[in-house]
């Protein structure tokens, strides 16, 4: 836009912004940057305390976070703090009691969201019991450390929690059970790499999502009337036994494999024993890991699909062997109809597709037999060429595989075959509902 001659464009336009906008800008900066900006003028110094409402305790260097948080909380004792999220915390000897002091302080400021990230050399640092004084807390996120022993009485003080995320946090089975029973509005529980537990027993009438990494021998879903998703990418590798008693709204389950014993009412999958009687009609999306080197892998999948008569989306993951040393013999001949394939299955996703014989045979089987199949996704990786090992294959390679799959006698004649030049993201099932993730999802497709 043209300007009038003589107009002064050198004025401080930032200072003309509303206080609320300036506070938002300061809140998005690291602590040390926000502090330097506050030195610029008395107005900015006046606004700095308002950033504590959503306190982002990060420094550009990553050091001195503990000292800075302690100093800032002491300097502004009357400011409300609804959210405290820290960068990686490293403690000097004199900082031993710092987090305990923070939590006692924050319990009187209406804290609702707390995120603590203990440094790698602080992996077993105990989380102070003053955590239980934060009765207004709604979201808790901890990386590293040791969770305090939690009785039901202590857990009841955290009854307002709707989301708990623990990663690399040591926690006892008793403490988890206490949190599940007493946090009566808890909807989202994440427990990753928490150390091996004997049995995780889900008894929660509010829980909707369990996100885990197979840190238990048995997952027993006893009473979870609102549970919708169980996301665990390591469930098969860690041979977790699964027992389902009551989960009428469960829509997503995975990742299952031949090593998992499954017990659902009168249905049992245990080694060579595969008996399907009690069904799970609520399951709409299933993720499985195919152990193609194990005898009976084709029969196992066909029997498993019978357990989920209303299945709409199937994710297929191969085991961790990058090179196919041996593929077990297996027939995709259906002896009896599989209800979900005849009536509901609309989408099949090969999370990693290398075009091996077993993958092609499985894809052809699903392509031919699923009456309502709309989409098949193939997330391609190359393991045939040493030069490009693990990278995307050529368009010529993809075009040839697509031609082999386009058979005239397929049941769903209008099925779209989509090929991607990358494997499916490891955390896909955790973020697939995110709008930004969805926008970026289709950017790496082959034009074939």
């Amino acid at each position: 836009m043209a300007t009038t001659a003589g107009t002064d464009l050198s004025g401080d336009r930032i200072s003309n912004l509303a206080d609320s906008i300036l506070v938002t800008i300061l809140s998005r900066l690291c602590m040390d940057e926000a502090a330097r900006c506050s030195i610029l003028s008395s107005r900015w110094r006046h606004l700095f305390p308002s950033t504590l409402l959503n306190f982002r305790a990060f420094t550009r260097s990553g050091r001195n976070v503990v000292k800075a948080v302690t100093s800032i909380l002491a300097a502004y004792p009357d400011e409300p703090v609804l959210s405290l999220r820290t960068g990686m915390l490293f403690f000097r000897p004199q900082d031993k009691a710092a987090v305990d002091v923070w939590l006692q302080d924050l319990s009187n400021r209406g804290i609702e969201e707390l995120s603590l990230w203990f440094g790698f050399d602080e992996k077993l640092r105990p989380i102070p019991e003053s955590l239980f004084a934060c009765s207004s807390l709604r979201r808790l996120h901890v990386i590293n450390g040791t969770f305090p022993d939690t009785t039901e009485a202590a857990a009841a003080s955290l009854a307002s929690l709707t989301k708990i995320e623990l990663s690399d946090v040591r926690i006892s089975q008793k403490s988890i059970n206490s949190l599940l029973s007493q946090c009566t509005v808890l909807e989202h529980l994440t427990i990753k790499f928490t150390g091996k537990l004997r049995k995780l027993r889900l008894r929660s009438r509010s829980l909707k999502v369990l996100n885990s990494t197979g840190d238990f021998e048995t997952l027993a879903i006893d009473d979870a009337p609102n549970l919708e998703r169980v996301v665990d990418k390591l469930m098969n590798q860690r041979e977790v036994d699964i027992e389902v008693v009551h989960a009428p709204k469960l829509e997503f389950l995975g990742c299952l494999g031949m090593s998992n014993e499954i017990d659902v009412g009168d249905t049992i999958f245990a080694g060579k024993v595969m008996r399907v009687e009690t069904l799970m009609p609520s399951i709409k999306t299933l993720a499985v890991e195919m152990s193609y080197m194990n005898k009976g892998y084709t029969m196992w999948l066909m029997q498993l699909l019978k357990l989920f008569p209303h299945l709409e989306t199937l994710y297929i993951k191969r085991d961790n062997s990058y090179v196919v040393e041996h593929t077990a013999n297996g027939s995709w001949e259906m002896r009896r109809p599989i209800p979900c394939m005849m009536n509901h299955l609309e989408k099949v996703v090969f999370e990693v597709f290398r075009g091996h014989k077993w993958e092609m045979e499985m894809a052809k089987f699903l392509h031919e037999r699923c009456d309502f199949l709309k989409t098949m996704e193939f997330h391609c990786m190359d393991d045939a060429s040493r030069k490009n090992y693990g990278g995307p294959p050529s368009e010529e390679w993809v075009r040839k595989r697509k031609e082999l799959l386009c058979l005239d006698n397929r049941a769903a004649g209008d099925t779209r075959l989509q090929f991607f030049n990358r494997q499916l993201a490891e955390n896909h099932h955790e973020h697939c509902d995110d709008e930004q993730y969805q926008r970026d999802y289709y950017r790496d497709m082959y034009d074939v």
Side-chain angles (χ1 to χ4, degrees), residues 4-69:
T4 304
T7 299
D8 182 10
L9 299 179
S10 62
D12 180 5
R13 296 188 177 186
I14 293 180
S15 293
N16 291 330
L17 297 174
D19 284 359
S20 59
I21 296 176
L22 292 176
V23 169
T24 299
I25 293 173
L26 285 172
S27 297
R28 293 179 181 274
L29 300 176
C30 296
M31 284 188 300
D32 44 358
E33 293 173 337
R36 285 196 294 270
C37 288
S38 300
I39 298 174
L40 295 176
S41 71
S42 58
R43 182 187 177 203
W44 284 64
R45 285 195 296 275
H46 169 72
L47 294 175
F48 178 77
S50 298
T51 67
L52 300 187
L53 194 66
N54 294 291
F55 190 2
R56 297 178 72 252
F58 300 82
T59 61
R60 180 64 64 183
S61 66
R63 294 286 175 175
N64 301 320
V65 174
V66 174
K67 179 181 178 182
V69 171

Side-chain angles (χ1 to χ4, degrees), residues 76 133 147 150 160 230 291 325 344 408 435:
Y76 302 100
F147 205 86
T150 307
S160 296
V230 172
S291 301
E325 298 177 356
H344 294 282
D408 292 336
E435 290 184 6

Side-chain angles (χ1 to χ4, degrees), residues 191-202:
I191 45 175
K192 294 185 175 181
F193 307 109
T194 55
K196 198 70 172 180
L197 304 172
R198 188 180 65 82
K199 194 169 192 174
L200 177 61
R201 192 177 292 279
L202 292 188

